[in-house]
Amino acid sequence: MRVAIAGAGAVGRSIAGELLENGHEVLLIDKAPTAISVERVPQAEWLLADACEITSLDEAALQRCNVVIAATGDDKVNLVVSLLAKTEYGVPRVVARVNNPKNEWLFNESWGVDVAVSTPRLMSALVEEAVSVGDLVRLLRFSHGDANLVELTLPEESALAGTQVGDVEWPQDTSLVTIIRGNRVLTPSREDSLEAGDELLFVAAQAREEQLEDLLSVRRTTAG
């Protein structure tokens, strides 16, 4: 997979390193000569250019990219890069970094953004996830379909503990994608049982989040 990253700062280089380790082809683009540090990510391609300029993106052959990541520290730049990548070059997947949470509402399909990653929001969500059991935590927002990546740790008292995945009547527009159990990451099958303490990751429509939280947190009742 070919990935272009606009912004070769610490964030962009870190993303590039991870992608290269996973066998992907990476191009880093930055207009600041001081940001071009080939020795830090020698396996990547580097381009000294303004990613907001069509001529620069032509030189980068953006039409050959499967993914574009707008990872600069400037939200305006990230929006422009996202829009150009999607509308001018038809890039299938555009991921954009949100630096200021107040601008998050702009990072949607109207600006060509498929996935918006807000570092402050994500850090806050991870803090919540670390201390919350039974509460749904929103980790990531997907622009298309108004869906989110959400997490909930199944509490001890949940009625679903011990229930097979295939026997649960999940809300519409939700999909259980991963079960994290201790150090294991499980791809759920219908026969897998849910256990108290499981971290469950869903892709869910925002309108279904409350219903999903109620389902997973429901308490057992005893007769008499």
Side-chain angles (χ1 to χ4, degrees):
M1 183 170 69
R2 179 173 172 81
V3 182
I5 302 173
V11 172
R13 293 195 306 270
S14 177
I15 296 169
E18 291 286 339
L19 291 171
L20 288 162
E21 285 185 10
N22 291 325
H24 300 297
E25 181 183 349
V26 175
L27 168 65
L28 281 160
I29 308 170
D30 206 296
K31 67 178 182 179
T34 55
I36 305 300
S37 303
V38 178
E39 69 281 359
R40 295 191 179 186
V41 193
Q43 305 95 326
E45 299 176 47
W46 289 79
L47 178 62
L48 176 61
D50 186 345
C52 292
E53 297 288 342
I54 289 288
T55 53
S56 300
L57 300 181
D58 285 343
E59 186 178 354
L62 221 65
Q63 70 278 2
R64 292 178 44 224
C65 293
N66 306 99
V67 180
V68 165
I69 301 173
T72 79
D74 187 325
D75 285 344
K76 296 187 294 296
V77 171
N78 291 342
L79 286 170
V80 171
V81 170
S82 298
L83 184 63
L84 292 175
K86 184 66 71 175
T87 60
E88 297 295 325
Y89 299 91
V91 176
R93 191 75 163 168
V94 177
V95 180
R97 172 187 176 188
V98 185
N99 296 280
N100 186 340
K102 293 181 180 179
N103 296 329
E104 190 173 5
W105 66 277
L106 288 166
F107 286 72
N108 55 38
E109 60 184 353
S110 297
W111 280 93
V113 178
D114 295 304
V115 181
V117 181
S118 172
T119 303
R121 182 179 295 278
L122 182 57
M123 291 180 69
S124 174
L126 291 172
V127 170
E128 291 181 38
E129 185 271 335
V131 299
S132 302
V133 174
D135 295 328
L136 186 142
V137 177
R138 188 181 299 166
L139 297 177
L140 194 65
R141 178 178 62 82
F142 300 99
S143 297
H144 293 300
D146 194 30
N148 299 310
L149 178 66
V150 299
E151 184 271 352
L152 185 141
T153 300
L154 199 67
E156 291 281 350
E157 65 272 16
S158 173
L160 294 186
T163 304
Q164 289 188 334
V165 170
D167 293 335
V168 179
E169 293 187 16
W170 302 108
Q172 289 184 344
D173 304 319
T174 67
S175 177
L176 175 63
V177 293
T178 304
I179 300 172
I180 301 175
R181 182 174 296 158
N183 293 325
R184 301 173 62 199
V185 178
L186 309 175
T187 301
S189 67
R190 292 182 57 84
E191 294 74 29
D192 284 323
S193 294
L194 302 174
E195 296 182 7
D198 283 350
E199 292 184 50
L200 308 177
L201 271 67
F202 295 86
V203 173
Q206 187 168 332
R208 302 293 183 182
E209 290 179 1
E210 184 175 353
Q211 185 180 353
L212 181 62
E213 184 174 25
D214 289 343
L215 172 67
L216 293 166
S217 300
V218 65
R219 296 174 181 271
R220 294 187 178 93
T221 57
T222 55

Coordinates of all heavy atoms in Angstrom, one line a residue, residues 36-120:
I36 N 13.0 18.2 6.6 CA 13.4 17.1 5.8 C 14.6 16.4 6.4 O 15.8 16.8 6.3 CB 13.8 17.6 4.4 CG1 12.6 18.3 3.8 CG2 14.2 16.4 3.5 CD1 11.3 17.5 3.6
S37 N 14.3 15.4 7.2 CA 15.4 14.6 8.0 C 15.4 13.2 7.5 O 14.9 12.3 8.1 CB 15.1 14.7 9.5 OG 15.0 16.0 9.9
V38 N 16.0 13.0 6.3 CA 16.0 11.7 5.7 C 16.6 10.7 6.5 O 16.2 9.5 6.6 CB 16.7 11.8 4.3 CG1 16.8 10.4 3.6 CG2 16.1 12.8 3.4
E39 N 17.6 11.1 7.3 CA 18.3 10.1 8.2 C 17.4 9.5 9.3 O 17.7 8.4 9.8 CB 19.6 10.7 8.8 CG 19.3 11.8 9.8 CD 19.0 13.1 9.2 OE1 18.9 13.3 8.0 OE2 18.8 14.1 10.0
R40 N 16.4 10.2 9.6 CA 15.5 9.7 10.7 C 14.6 8.7 10.2 O 14.2 7.8 11.0 CB 14.7 10.9 11.3 CG 15.5 11.9 12.0 CD 14.7 12.9 12.8 NE 15.4 13.9 13.5 CZ 14.9 14.8 14.3 NH1 13.6 14.8 14.5 NH2 15.7 15.6 14.9
V41 N 14.1 8.7 8.9 CA 13.3 7.7 8.3 C 13.8 7.4 6.9 O 13.3 7.8 5.9 CB 11.8 8.2 8.2 CG1 10.9 7.0 7.9 CG2 11.3 8.9 9.5
P42 N 15.0 6.7 6.9 CA 15.7 6.5 5.6 C 14.9 5.7 4.6 O 15.2 5.8 3.4 CB 17.0 5.9 6.0 CG 16.7 5.3 7.3 CD 15.7 6.1 8.0
Q43 N 14.0 4.8 5.1 CA 13.3 3.9 4.2 C 12.2 4.7 3.4 O 11.7 4.1 2.4 CB 12.7 2.7 4.9 CG 13.7 2.0 5.8 CD 13.7 2.4 7.2 OE1 13.5 3.6 7.5 NE2 13.9 1.5 8.1
A44 N 11.8 5.8 3.9 CA 10.7 6.6 3.2 C 11.2 7.4 2.1 O 12.4 7.7 2.0 CB 10.0 7.5 4.3
E45 N 10.3 7.7 1.2 CA 10.6 8.8 0.1 C 10.3 10.1 0.8 O 9.5 10.3 1.7 CB 9.6 8.6 -1.1 CG 9.7 7.3 -1.8 CD 8.7 7.2 -2.9 OE1 8.6 8.2 -3.7 OE2 8.0 6.2 -3.0
W46 N 11.0 11.1 0.3 CA 10.9 12.5 0.9 C 10.7 13.5 -0.2 O 11.3 13.4 -1.3 CB 12.2 12.9 1.7 CG 12.3 12.1 3.0 CD1 12.8 10.9 3.1 CD2 12.0 12.6 4.3 NE1 12.8 10.5 4.5 CE2 12.3 11.6 5.2 CE3 11.5 13.8 4.8 CZ2 12.2 11.7 6.6 CZ3 11.4 14.0 6.2 CH2 11.7 12.9 7.0
L47 N 9.8 14.5 0.0 CA 9.6 15.5 -0.9 C 9.5 16.8 -0.2 O 8.6 17.0 0.6 CB 8.2 15.2 -1.7 CG 7.8 16.2 -2.7 CD1 8.8 16.3 -3.9 CD2 6.4 15.9 -3.3
L48 N 10.4 17.8 -0.6 CA 10.3 19.1 -0.1 C 9.4 19.9 -1.0 O 9.7 20.3 -2.1 CB 11.7 19.7 -0.2 CG 11.8 21.2 0.3 CD1 11.4 21.4 1.7 CD2 13.3 21.7 0.1
A49 N 8.2 20.2 -0.5 CA 7.1 20.8 -1.3 C 6.0 21.2 -0.4 O 5.8 20.7 0.8 CB 6.6 19.9 -2.4
D50 N 5.2 22.1 -0.9 CA 4.0 22.6 -0.2 C 2.8 21.7 -0.6 O 2.4 21.7 -1.7 CB 3.7 24.0 -0.6 CG 2.5 24.6 0.2 OD1 1.8 23.9 0.9 OD2 2.4 25.9 0.2
A51 N 2.3 20.9 0.4 CA 1.3 19.9 0.1 C -0.1 20.6 -0.2 O -1.0 19.9 -0.6 CB 1.1 19.0 1.3
C52 N -0.2 21.9 -0.1 CA -1.4 22.6 -0.5 C -1.4 23.0 -1.9 O -2.4 23.6 -2.4 CB -1.6 23.8 0.5 SG -2.0 23.4 2.2
E53 N -0.3 22.8 -2.6 CA -0.2 23.2 -4.0 C -0.4 22.0 -4.9 O 0.2 20.9 -4.7 CB 1.2 23.8 -4.3 CG 1.5 25.0 -3.5 CD 0.7 26.2 -4.0 OE1 0.2 26.2 -5.1 OE2 0.6 27.2 -3.3
I54 N -1.2 22.2 -6.0 CA -1.5 21.1 -6.9 C -0.2 20.6 -7.6 O 0.0 19.4 -7.8 CB -2.5 21.6 -8.0 CG1 -3.9 21.8 -7.4 CG2 -2.6 20.6 -9.2 CD1 -4.6 20.5 -7.0
T55 N 0.7 21.5 -7.9 CA 1.9 21.1 -8.6 C 2.7 20.2 -7.7 O 3.3 19.2 -8.2 CB 2.7 22.4 -9.0 OG1 2.9 23.2 -7.8 CG2 2.1 23.2 -10.1
S56 N 2.7 20.4 -6.4 CA 3.4 19.6 -5.5 C 2.8 18.2 -5.4 O 3.5 17.2 -5.4 CB 3.4 20.2 -4.1 OG 4.1 21.5 -4.1
L57 N 1.5 18.2 -5.4 CA 0.8 16.9 -5.3 C 0.9 16.1 -6.6 O 0.9 14.9 -6.6 CB -0.7 17.1 -4.9 CG -0.9 17.8 -3.6 CD1 -2.4 18.0 -3.3 CD2 -0.2 17.1 -2.4
D58 N 1.0 16.8 -7.7 CA 1.3 16.2 -9.0 C 2.6 15.5 -8.9 O 2.8 14.3 -9.4 CB 1.2 17.2 -10.2 CG -0.2 17.6 -10.5 OD1 -1.1 16.9 -10.1 OD2 -0.3 18.6 -11.2
E59 N 3.6 16.2 -8.4 CA 5.0 15.7 -8.3 C 5.0 14.4 -7.4 O 5.7 13.5 -7.6 CB 5.9 16.7 -7.8 CG 7.4 16.3 -7.7 CD 8.3 17.4 -7.3 OE1 7.8 18.6 -7.1 OE2 9.5 17.1 -7.1
A60 N 4.1 14.5 -6.4 CA 4.0 13.4 -5.4 C 3.3 12.2 -6.0 O 3.2 11.1 -5.4 CB 3.4 13.8 -4.1
A61 N 2.6 12.4 -7.2 CA 1.8 11.3 -7.8 C 0.8 10.8 -6.8 O 0.6 9.6 -6.6 CB 2.7 10.2 -8.3
L62 N 0.0 11.8 -6.3 CA -1.0 11.4 -5.3 C -2.0 10.4 -5.8 O -2.6 9.7 -5.0 CB -1.6 12.7 -4.8 CG -1.9 12.7 -3.2 CD1 -0.5 12.7 -2.5 CD2 -2.7 13.9 -2.8
Q63 N -2.3 10.4 -7.1 CA -3.3 9.5 -7.6 C -2.9 8.1 -7.5 O -3.7 7.2 -7.6 CB -3.5 9.9 -9.1 CG -2.4 9.5 -10.1 CD -1.3 10.6 -10.1 OE1 -1.4 11.6 -9.4 NE2 -0.3 10.4 -10.9
R64 N -1.6 7.8 -7.2 CA -1.1 6.5 -7.0 C -1.3 6.0 -5.5 O -1.0 4.9 -5.2 CB 0.3 6.3 -7.4 CG 0.6 6.5 -8.9 CD 2.1 6.4 -9.2 NE 2.7 5.3 -8.5 CZ 3.9 5.4 -7.8 NH1 4.5 6.6 -7.8 NH2 4.4 4.4 -7.2
C65 N -1.7 6.9 -4.7 CA -1.7 6.6 -3.2 C -3.0 5.9 -2.9 O -4.1 6.3 -3.3 CB -1.5 7.9 -2.4 SG 0.1 8.6 -2.5
N66 N -2.9 5.0 -2.0 CA -4.1 4.3 -1.4 C -4.7 5.1 -0.2 O -5.9 5.1 0.0 CB -3.8 2.9 -1.0 CG -3.2 2.1 -2.1 OD1 -2.0 1.9 -2.1 ND2 -4.0 1.6 -3.0
V67 N -3.7 5.8 0.5 CA -4.1 6.6 1.7 C -3.3 7.8 1.7 O -2.1 7.8 1.3 CB -3.8 5.8 3.0 CG1 -4.2 6.6 4.2 CG2 -4.6 4.4 3.0
V68 N -3.9 8.9 2.1 CA -3.2 10.2 2.4 C -3.5 10.5 3.8 O -4.7 10.5 4.3 CB -3.7 11.3 1.4 CG1 -3.2 12.7 2.0 CG2 -3.1 11.1 0.0
I69 N -2.5 10.9 4.5 CA -2.6 11.3 5.9 C -2.1 12.8 6.0 O -1.0 13.1 5.7 CB -1.7 10.4 6.9 CG1 -2.1 9.0 6.7 CG2 -1.8 10.9 8.3 CD1 -1.2 8.0 7.5
A70 N -3.1 13.6 6.4 CA -2.8 15.1 6.7 C -2.4 15.2 8.1 O -3.2 15.2 9.0 CB -4.0 15.9 6.3
A71 N -1.1 15.3 8.4 CA -0.6 15.2 9.8 C 0.2 16.4 10.2 O 1.0 16.4 11.1 CB 0.3 14.0 9.9
T72 N -0.1 17.6 9.6 CA 0.6 18.8 10.0 C 0.1 19.4 11.3 O -1.0 18.9 11.8 CB 0.6 19.9 8.9 OG1 -0.7 20.5 9.0 CG2 0.8 19.3 7.5
G73 N 0.7 20.4 11.8 CA 0.3 21.0 13.1 C -0.7 22.1 12.8 O -1.1 22.8 13.7
D74 N -1.1 22.3 11.5 CA -2.0 23.4 11.2 C -3.3 22.8 10.6 O -3.3 22.1 9.6 CB -1.3 24.3 10.1 CG -2.1 25.5 9.8 OD1 -3.4 25.5 9.8 OD2 -1.5 26.6 9.5
D75 N -4.4 23.0 11.3 CA -5.7 22.5 10.9 C -6.1 22.9 9.5 O -6.7 22.2 8.7 CB -6.8 22.8 11.9 CG -6.7 21.9 13.1 OD1 -6.0 20.9 13.1 OD2 -7.3 22.3 14.1
K76 N -5.8 24.2 9.1 CA -6.2 24.7 7.8 C -5.5 23.9 6.7 O -6.1 23.6 5.7 CB -5.9 26.2 7.7 CG -6.7 27.1 8.7 CD -6.4 28.5 8.4 CE -5.0 29.0 8.8 NZ -4.7 28.8 10.2
V77 N -4.2 23.7 6.9 CA -3.4 22.9 6.0 C -4.0 21.5 5.8 O -4.2 21.0 4.7 CB -1.9 22.9 6.4 CG1 -1.2 21.9 5.5 CG2 -1.3 24.3 6.3
N78 N -4.3 20.9 7.0 CA -4.8 19.5 6.9 C -6.1 19.4 6.2 O -6.4 18.5 5.4 CB -5.0 19.0 8.3 CG -3.6 18.8 9.0 OD1 -2.6 18.7 8.3 ND2 -3.6 18.6 10.3
L79 N -7.0 20.4 6.3 CA -8.2 20.4 5.6 C -8.0 20.6 4.1 O -8.7 19.9 3.3 CB -9.1 21.6 6.1 CG -9.8 21.3 7.5 CD1 -10.4 22.6 8.0 CD2 -10.8 20.2 7.4
V80 N -7.1 21.5 3.7 CA -6.9 21.7 2.3 C -6.3 20.5 1.6 O -6.7 20.0 0.6 CB -5.9 22.9 2.1 CG1 -5.5 23.0 0.6 CG2 -6.7 24.2 2.5
V81 N -5.3 19.9 2.3 CA -4.7 18.6 1.8 C -5.7 17.5 1.6 O -5.8 16.8 0.6 CB -3.6 18.2 2.7 CG1 -3.1 16.8 2.3 CG2 -2.4 19.2 2.7
S82 N -6.6 17.4 2.6 CA -7.6 16.4 2.6 C -8.6 16.6 1.4 O -8.9 15.7 0.7 CB -8.4 16.4 3.9 OG -7.6 16.1 5.0
L83 N -9.0 17.8 1.2 CA -9.9 18.1 0.1 C -9.3 17.9 -1.2 O -9.9 17.3 -2.1 CB -10.4 19.6 0.3 CG -11.4 20.1 -0.7 CD1 -12.7 19.3 -0.6 CD2 -11.7 21.6 -0.6
L84 N -8.1 18.3 -1.4 CA -7.4 18.1 -2.7 C -7.2 16.6 -2.9 O -7.4 16.1 -4.1 CB -6.1 18.8 -2.7 CG -6.1 20.4 -2.7 CD1 -4.7 21.0 -2.6 CD2 -6.8 20.8 -4.0
A85 N -6.8 15.9 -1.9 CA -6.5 14.4 -2.1 C -7.8 13.7 -2.5 O -7.7 12.8 -3.4 CB -6.0 13.8 -0.8
K86 N -8.9 14.1 -2.0 CA -10.1 13.4 -2.3 C -10.7 13.8 -3.6 O -11.1 13.0 -4.5 CB -11.1 13.6 -1.2 CG -12.5 12.8 -1.3 CD -12.3 11.3 -1.3 CE -11.9 10.9 0.1 NZ -11.9 9.4 0.3
T87 N -10.8 15.2 -3.8 CA -11.5 15.7 -5.0 C -10.7 15.7 -6.3 O -11.2 15.5 -7.3 CB -12.1 17.1 -4.7 OG1 -11.0 18.0 -4.4 CG2 -13.1 17.1 -3.5
E88 N -9.4 16.0 -6.1 CA -8.6 16.1 -7.3 C -7.9 14.8 -7.7 O -7.6 14.6 -8.9 CB -7.5 17.2 -7.1 CG -8.1 18.6 -6.9 CD -8.8 19.2 -8.1 OE1 -8.4 18.9 -9.2 OE2 -9.8 19.9 -7.9
Y89 N -7.6 14.0 -6.7 CA -6.8 12.8 -7.0 C -7.6 11.5 -6.7 O -7.1 10.4 -7.0 CB -5.5 12.8 -6.2 CG -4.7 14.0 -6.6 CD1 -4.8 15.2 -5.9 CD2 -3.8 13.9 -7.7 CE1 -4.0 16.3 -6.3 CE2 -3.0 15.0 -8.1 CZ -3.1 16.2 -7.4 OH -2.4 17.3 -7.8
G90 N -8.8 11.6 -6.1 CA -9.6 10.4 -5.9 C -9.0 9.4 -4.9 O -9.1 8.2 -5.1
V91 N -8.2 9.9 -3.9 CA -7.6 9.0 -3.0 C -8.7 8.3 -2.2 O -9.5 8.9 -1.6 CB -6.6 9.8 -2.0 CG1 -6.0 8.8 -1.0 CG2 -5.5 10.4 -2.8
P92 N -8.6 6.9 -2.1 CA -9.7 6.2 -1.5 C -9.9 6.5 0.0 O -11.0 6.5 0.6 CB -9.3 4.7 -1.7 CG -8.4 4.7 -2.8 CD -7.6 6.0 -2.8
R93 N -8.7 6.7 0.7 CA -8.8 6.9 2.2 C -8.0 8.1 2.6 O -6.8 8.2 2.3 CB -8.2 5.6 2.9 CG -8.5 5.5 4.3 CD -9.9 5.2 4.6 NE -10.1 4.7 6.0 CZ -11.3 4.5 6.5 NH1 -12.4 4.8 5.8 NH2 -11.4 4.1 7.8
V94 N -8.7 9.0 3.3 CA -8.0 10.2 3.7 C -8.2 10.3 5.2 O -9.3 10.3 5.8 CB -8.6 11.5 3.1 CG1 -7.9 12.7 3.6 CG2 -8.4 11.4 1.5
V95 N -7.0 10.4 5.9 CA -7.0 10.5 7.4 C -6.4 11.9 7.7 O -5.4 12.3 7.2 CB -6.2 9.4 8.0 CG1 -6.2 9.5 9.6 CG2 -6.7 8.0 7.6
A96 N -7.1 12.6 8.6 CA -6.6 14.0 9.0 C -6.5 14.1 10.5 O -7.3 13.7 11.3 CB -7.6 15.0 8.4
R97 N -5.4 14.8 10.8 CA -5.1 15.2 12.2 C -5.8 16.5 12.6 O -5.8 17.4 11.9 CB -3.6 15.3 12.4 CG -3.2 15.9 13.8 CD -1.7 16.1 13.7 NE -1.2 16.8 14.9 CZ 0.1 17.2 15.1 NH1 0.9 17.1 14.1 NH2 0.5 17.8 16.2
V98 N -6.5 16.4 13.7 CA -7.2 17.6 14.3 C -6.4 18.1 15.4 O -6.2 17.4 16.4 CB -8.6 17.3 14.7 CG1 -9.3 18.6 15.1 CG2 -9.4 16.6 13.6
N99 N -5.9 19.3 15.3 CA -5.0 19.9 16.4 C -5.8 20.6 17.4 O -5.6 20.5 18.6 CB -4.0 20.8 15.8 CG -3.0 20.1 14.8 OD1 -2.1 19.5 15.3 ND2 -3.3 20.2 13.5
N100 N -6.8 21.4 17.0 CA -7.7 22.1 17.9 C -9.1 21.5 17.9 O -9.8 21.5 16.9 CB -7.8 23.6 17.4 CG -8.6 24.5 18.4 OD1 -9.3 24.0 19.2 ND2 -8.4 25.7 18.3
P101 N -9.5 20.9 19.1 CA -10.8 20.3 19.1 C -12.0 21.2 18.7 O -13.0 20.6 18.2 CB -11.0 19.9 20.6 CG -9.5 19.8 21.1 CD -8.8 20.9 20.3
K102 N -11.8 22.5 18.7 CA -12.9 23.4 18.3 C -13.1 23.3 16.8 O -14.2 23.7 16.3 CB -12.6 24.8 18.7 CG -12.6 25.1 20.2 CD -12.3 26.5 20.5 CE -12.3 26.8 22.0 NZ -12.0 28.2 22.3
N103 N -12.1 22.8 16.1 CA -12.2 22.7 14.6 C -12.7 21.3 14.2 O -12.9 21.0 13.0 CB -10.9 22.9 14.0 CG -10.4 24.3 14.2 OD1 -11.2 25.3 14.3 ND2 -9.1 24.5 14.2
E104 N -13.0 20.4 15.1 CA -13.3 19.0 14.8 C -14.5 18.9 13.9 O -14.6 18.0 13.0 CB -13.5 18.2 16.0 CG -13.6 16.7 15.8 CD -13.6 15.9 17.1 OE1 -13.7 16.6 18.2 OE2 -13.6 14.7 17.0
W105 N -15.5 19.8 14.0 CA -16.7 19.7 13.3 C -16.5 19.9 11.8 O -17.3 19.5 10.9 CB -17.7 20.8 13.8 CG -17.3 22.2 13.5 CD1 -16.4 23.0 14.3 CD2 -17.7 23.1 12.4 NE1 -16.3 24.2 13.8 CE2 -17.0 24.3 12.6 CE3 -18.5 22.9 11.3 CZ2 -17.1 25.4 11.7 CZ3 -18.6 24.0 10.4 CH2 -18.0 25.2 10.7
L106 N -15.4 20.5 11.4 CA -15.0 20.8 10.0 C -14.5 19.5 9.3 O -14.6 19.4 8.1 CB -14.0 21.9 9.9 CG -14.4 23.3 10.2 CD1 -13.2 24.2 10.3 CD2 -15.3 23.8 9.0
F107 N -14.0 18.6 10.1 CA -13.3 17.5 9.5 C -14.2 16.4 9.2 O -14.4 15.4 9.9 CB -12.2 17.0 10.5 CG -11.0 17.9 10.5 CD1 -11.0 19.1 11.2 CD2 -9.8 17.5 9.9 CE1 -9.9 19.9 11.2 CE2 -8.6 18.3 10.0 CZ -8.7 19.5 10.6
N108 N -14.9 16.5 8.0 CA -15.9 15.6 7.6 C -15.8 15.3 6.1 O -14.9 15.8 5.5 CB -17.3 16.0 8.0 CG -17.6 17.4 7.5 OD1 -17.3 17.8 6.4 ND2 -18.3 18.2 8.3
E109 N -16.8 14.6 5.6 CA -16.7 14.2 4.1 C -16.8 15.5 3.2 O -16.3 15.4 2.1 CB -17.8 13.2 3.8 CG -19.2 13.7 4.0 CD -20.2 12.6 3.8 OE1 -19.8 11.5 3.3 OE2 -21.4 12.8 4.1
S110 N -17.3 16.5 3.7 CA -17.4 17.8 2.9 C -16.0 18.3 2.6 O -15.8 18.9 1.5 CB -18.2 18.8 3.6 OG -19.6 18.4 3.8
W111 N -15.1 18.0 3.5 CA -13.7 18.4 3.3 C -12.8 17.2 2.8 O -11.6 17.3 2.9 CB -13.1 19.0 4.5 CG -13.5 20.5 4.7 CD1 -14.6 21.0 5.4 CD2 -12.8 21.6 4.1 NE1 -14.6 22.3 5.3 CE2 -13.6 22.8 4.5 CE3 -11.7 21.8 3.4 CZ2 -13.2 24.0 4.2 CZ3 -11.3 23.1 3.0 CH2 -12.0 24.2 3.4
G112 N -13.4 16.1 2.4 CA -12.7 15.0 1.9 C -12.1 14.1 3.0 O -11.4 13.1 2.7
V113 N -12.5 14.3 4.3 CA -11.9 13.5 5.4 C -12.8 12.2 5.6 O -14.0 12.3 5.9 CB -11.9 14.4 6.7 CG1 -11.3 13.5 7.8 CG2 -11.0 15.6 6.4
D114 N -12.1 11.1 5.6 CA -12.7 9.8 5.9 C -12.6 9.6 7.4 O -13.6 9.1 8.1 CB -12.1 8.7 5.2 CG -12.4 8.8 3.7 OD1 -13.5 8.9 3.3 OD2 -11.4 8.8 2.9
V115 N -11.5 9.8 8.0 CA -11.3 9.6 9.4 C -10.6 10.8 10.0 O -9.5 11.2 9.5 CB -10.4 8.3 9.7 CG1 -10.2 8.1 11.2 CG2 -11.0 7.1 9.1
A116 N -11.1 11.4 11.1 CA -10.5 12.5 11.8 C -10.0 12.0 13.1 O -10.7 11.4 13.9 CB -11.6 13.6 12.0
V117 N -8.7 12.4 13.4 CA -8.1 11.9 14.6 C -7.7 13.2 15.4 O -6.9 14.0 15.0 CB -6.8 11.1 14.3 CG1 -6.2 10.7 15.6 CG2 -7.1 9.9 13.5
S118 N -8.4 13.4 16.5 CA -8.2 14.5 17.4 C -7.3 14.0 18.5 O -7.8 13.3 19.4 CB -9.5 15.1 17.9 OG -9.3 16.0 18.9
T119 N -6.1 14.4 18.6 CA -5.2 14.0 19.6 C -5.7 14.3 21.0 O -5.7 13.5 21.9 CB -3.7 14.5 19.4 OG1 -3.3 14.1 18.1 CG2 -2.8 14.0 20.4
P120 N -6.1 15.6 21.3 CA -6.6 15.9 22.6 C -7.8 15.0 23.0 O -7.9 14.5 24.1 CB -7.0 17.4 22.5 CG -6.1 17.9 21.4 CD -6.0 16.8 20.4

